[in-house]
Amino acid sequence: MVLYLIGLGLYDERDITLRGLDAVRGCARIYLEAYTSILLCDKLRLEALYGKPVVVADREMVENDADLILEGADQIDVAFLVVGDPFGATTHTDLQLRARERGIPVRVIHNASVMNAVGACGLQLYKFGESVSIVFFTDTWRPDSFYDKIAANRKLGLHTLCLLDIKVKEPNLEALCRGKTIYEPPRYMSIKTALEQLLEIEEKRREGAYDAGTLAVGMARVGAPDQRVVAGGMRELMEVDFGAPLHCLIIAGNVHVVEEEILGYYRIGQAGAAAGAEGAAAAAGGGGASTAEALAVGGGEGSS
């Protein structure tokens, strides 16, 4: 039959398109990819809307056991749900290739992605260069491959979207060494952590790709009612509490006068910068669990 790759949008169960919803309701099995990004609602709300159970697909299933997802898809319709747009991560391209190799037709239903929704801050999308990923540093691993890409973008006057790391259902390495599988609690990189790491690498390399005063834009919970956007120098943004995840960061290149006018509304101290702050505090203090939190339930010894 068909493997559907369906984008869910950015916020909650209602962001799916009508065409996507029709496809999901017609599928015999439904998988929710929950490690490249998360919805800001839990799985139960998806199941209530679809009228069907949803299987959460973690990194291990998608990357190592893709055959489980494709099993029987030549005879039944299977849906693979992706937060944002289906092709926001290379993993989903790989799933499509595997399906086609097995003669399974693939249909894609697109949706909004952070890659285009960041235009809400006022920076024009056609002036963005290559996006980069900022991963959590460890004591022994502090990668800086993003630095050269940011430098190249800024040399051309282009903005850089920094996608910030999330860790969902990550195994504890010490426990693995003892032959046990224990999963760490979910972690979501904040704008402050990303800026600290970026400035650490600039201090190390000293090539002038950016500095503490470079204009940047922090965005939290893009697409949600309590979305927050704040523009300012990199050091200034480290003092802003952006609230609950997910966060992303833009390092500005050359700013056009029209972009600057819109950014002015989101500058620290302006009305736009404060918008969403109260909702962010409420989200941080309670509310429905995200799909990642639902995935983490029972994440103790031996869980999978």
Side-chain angles (χ1 to χ4, degrees), residues 4 7 17 22 24 28 85 129 135 145 154 159 171 173 199 202 214 226 229 246 268 279 284:
Y4 286 95
T17 65
D22 287 342
V24 169
D85 187 81
V135 302
S145 58
R154 285 178 51 78
H159 313 311
L173 297 182
L199 292 174
E202 176 57 51
T214 296
D226 64 345
V229 181
L246 295 171
I268 292 175

Side-chain angles (χ1 to χ4, degrees), residues 243-256:
L246 295 171
H247 294 184
C248 64
L249 177 71
I250 303 165
I251 300 174
N254 296 340
V255 178
H256 186 271

Side-chain angles (χ1 to χ4, degrees), residues 69-107:
I69 297 171
L70 298 176
E71 184 178 356
D74 55 341
Q75 299 175 343
I76 60 173
D77 290 338
V78 175
F80 185 75
L81 311 181
V82 180
V83 178
D85 187 81
F87 293 132
T90 55
T91 294
H92 312 133
T93 301
D94 179 69
L95 185 62
Q96 177 185 215
L97 291 172
R98 288 171 180 250
R100 296 195 188 283
E101 288 173 357
R102 295 175 61 159
I104 300 170
V106 178
R107 294 180 187 171

Side-chain angles (χ1 to χ4, degrees), residues 27 54 116 251:
C27 287
V54 174
N116 55 27
I251 300 174

Side-chain angles (χ1 to χ4, degrees), residues 32 43-44 58 66 70 83 88 104 118 139 148 151 170 190 197 223 235 261 300:
L32 171 64
K43 182 171 73 82
L44 294 178
D58 59 16
L70 298 176
V83 178
I104 300 170
V118 292
D139 292 339
D148 295 317
E170 294 285 324
S190 66
Q197 295 187 178
R235 185 73 69 186
E261 185 175 354

Side-chain angles (χ1 to χ4, degrees), residues 18-275:
L18 291 175
R19 190 152 59 93
L21 183 58
D22 287 342
V24 169
R25 287 176 171 169
C27 287
R29 291 204 315 272
I30 304 168
Y31 295 92
L32 171 64
E33 187 267 272
Y35 68 91
T36 60
S37 189
I38 59 168
L39 280 184
L40 302 181
C41 69
D42 65 29
K43 182 171 73 82
L44 294 178
R45 286 167 58 177
L46 299 179
E47 293 176 329
L49 177 63
Y50 305 157
K52 295 185 176 184
V54 174
V55 177
V56 175
D58 59 16
R59 181 187 297 273
E60 183 178 354
M61 174 182 285
V62 177
E63 296 186 350
N64 299 328
D65 295 317
D67 288 344
L68 292 176
I69 297 171
L70 298 176
E71 184 178 356
D74 55 341
Q75 299 175 343
I76 60 173
D77 290 338
V78 175
F80 185 75
L81 311 181
V82 180
V83 178
D85 187 81
F87 293 132
T90 55
T91 294
H92 312 133
T93 301
D94 179 69
L95 185 62
Q96 177 185 215
L97 291 172
R98 288 171 180 250
R100 296 195 188 283
E101 288 173 357
R102 295 175 61 159
I104 300 170
V106 178
R107 294 180 187 171
V108 180
I109 301 177
H110 296 282
N111 209 319
S113 164
V114 70
M115 304 293 284
N116 55 27
V118 292
C121 74
L123 295 176
Q124 298 167 357
L125 291 178
Y126 74 90
K127 292 183 61 181
F128 277 73
E130 184 176 0
S131 299
V132 301
S133 295
I134 311 296
V135 302
F136 282 110
F137 284 177
T138 69
D139 292 339
T140 58
W141 188 57
R142 308 178 91 75
D144 63 359
S145 58
F146 57 78
Y147 185 88
D148 295 317
K149 295 176 182 178
I150 296 171
N153 284 344
R154 285 178 51 78
K155 186 176 181 180
L156 295 171
L158 301 176
H159 313 311
T160 305
L161 171 60
C162 302
L163 301 171
L164 309 188
D165 200 8
I166 68 173
K167 299 289 188 185
V168 178
K169 206 176 180 185
E170 294 285 324
N172 179 287
L173 297 182
E174 292 184 3
L176 281 179
C177 291
R178 298 195 304 268
K180 297 182 179 180
T181 302
I182 301 176
Y183 294 107
E184 301 281 4
R187 298 172 61 204
Y188 312 100
M189 182 179 288
S190 66
I191 290 165
K192 180 178 181 179
T193 297
L195 288 166
E196 289 172 343
Q197 295 187 178
L198 284 160
L199 292 174
E200 175 186 319
I201 296 303
E202 176 57 51
E203 179 67 21
K204 171 186 173 183
R205 305 239 333 219
R206 295 182 178 275
E207 297 173 27
Y210 47 81
D211 58 39
T214 296
L215 176 63
V217 183
M219 301 185 71
R221 300 170 304 284
V222 176
D226 64 345
Q227 169 180 297
R228 191 168 190 199
V229 181
V230 184
M234 294 177 75
R235 185 73 69 186
E236 289 180 299
L237 291 185
M238 291 173 62
E239 304 303 317
V240 176
D241 180 4
F242 283 90
L246 295 171
H247 294 184
C248 64
L249 177 71
I250 303 165
I251 300 174
N254 296 340
V255 178
H256 186 271
V257 61
V258 175
E259 293 177 305
E260 182 57 54
E261 185 175 354
I262 300 175
L263 281 180
Y265 177 69
Y266 295 113
R267 289 275 188 170
I268 292 175
Q270 299 302 308

